[in-house]
Amino acid sequence: MSSWFRRASSAATRAFFAAARHPGAFVPFALLATTDSVMPLLPAEFMAISLMIIQPHRARVVGFGFALAASASALVLALVIAQASAYVVSANPGLIDVLEHGNPFITDWGAFALAALSIFPDSPRASVAAATVAGLPHVTIAVSVFVGKLVLYTGLSYLLIRLPTLIARLRNQQSPTISRIRPKLRRLAALQRLLQRDNS
């Protein structure tokens, strides 16, 4: 079964990368990312990074578009929570505790806290749920997530540009933090080389 799953995953990944090379791939991938909060199918950050590598001339547009998609996704989640929290819990069981108790950080700091938490990779489902429970307006939630994700994607696009130089600079440094970061940067660099080679 695990062998079958690996083959299926490999085939799906190859199909995704092949589709990402199409000049018009950005729009359907961004639309797919709008479902990330309610019905996650493929990590939005993975799609955005792949598009930034394969189509580097569109990196800024990709970052802006995926930040907008994350904002729309957060808005949809906030609206669904407000109208049908039972459905949200069935689709995302991890939100039960948030919907029952909220998040003190978001309750105290509101939109600023939500924007800060949205900078981290992955969908800010729990943060959006907590913001909805705390009574933040839906538009405020959408704008906060947009700002946070725009910071994230701008940073990722800059990282991809500077990646080889950064890895070379950190190669001989031995601090515990850098030792944890270095392997992740190397894996990202390997993905970048693979996609750039296949795209040439």
Side-chain angles (χ1 to χ4, degrees):
M1 191 66 181
S2 60
S3 176
W4 174 88
F5 182 77
R6 284 197 300 271
R7 289 197 301 272
S9 299
S10 178
T13 302
R14 286 195 301 271
F16 167 75
F17 288 145
R21 294 186 183 93
H22 192 280
F26 163 67
V27 174
F29 285 175
L31 290 174
L32 184 62
T34 62
T35 68
D36 199 37
S37 289
V38 179
M39 187 177 61
L41 299 174
L42 195 63
E45 285 81 8
F46 178 74
M47 291 190 288
I49 288 174
S50 300
L51 283 169
M52 287 177 182
I53 293 172
I54 293 173
Q55 302 183 25
H57 58 288
R58 293 184 175 179
R60 292 181 181 176
V61 175
V62 169
F64 183 86
F66 272 79
L68 200 60
S71 174
S73 181
L75 179 59
V76 169
L77 179 59
L79 291 170
V80 171
I81 288 174
Q83 299 298 323
S85 58
Y87 168 77
V88 177
V89 169
S90 66
N92 296 280
L95 297 181
I96 294 175
D97 186 62
V98 176
L99 290 173
E100 290 180 350
H101 304 103
N103 182 322
F105 181 49
I106 290 179
T107 302
D108 293 341
W109 294 94
F112 295 103
L114 180 57
L117 292 171
S118 298
I119 295 174
F120 295 96
D122 202 3
S123 173
R125 296 181 196 93
S127 301
V128 170
T132 306
V133 170
L136 262 68
H138 295 153
V139 174
T140 302
I141 291 173
V143 171
S144 300
V145 171
F146 173 77
V147 170
K149 288 302 181 185
L150 188 61
V151 171
L152 170 64
Y153 289 125
T154 301
L156 285 174
S157 63
Y158 179 78
L159 174 63
L160 290 170
I161 293 171
R162 302 284 298 170
L163 193 55
T165 304
L166 183 60
I167 290 176
R169 186 174 298 172
L170 298 179
R171 182 174 293 127
N172 297 321
Q173 298 187 28
Q174 300 301 325
S175 78
T177 301
I178 292 176
S179 297
R180 288 194 294 269
I181 293 174
R182 192 184 297 117
K184 295 178 175 60
L185 292 178
R186 286 176 176 167
R187 286 196 291 272
L188 181 58
L191 175 64
Q192 186 180 36
R193 288 193 300 270
L194 173 66
L195 293 180
Q196 288 174 339
R197 183 191 66 195
D198 290 347
N199 202 41
S200 61

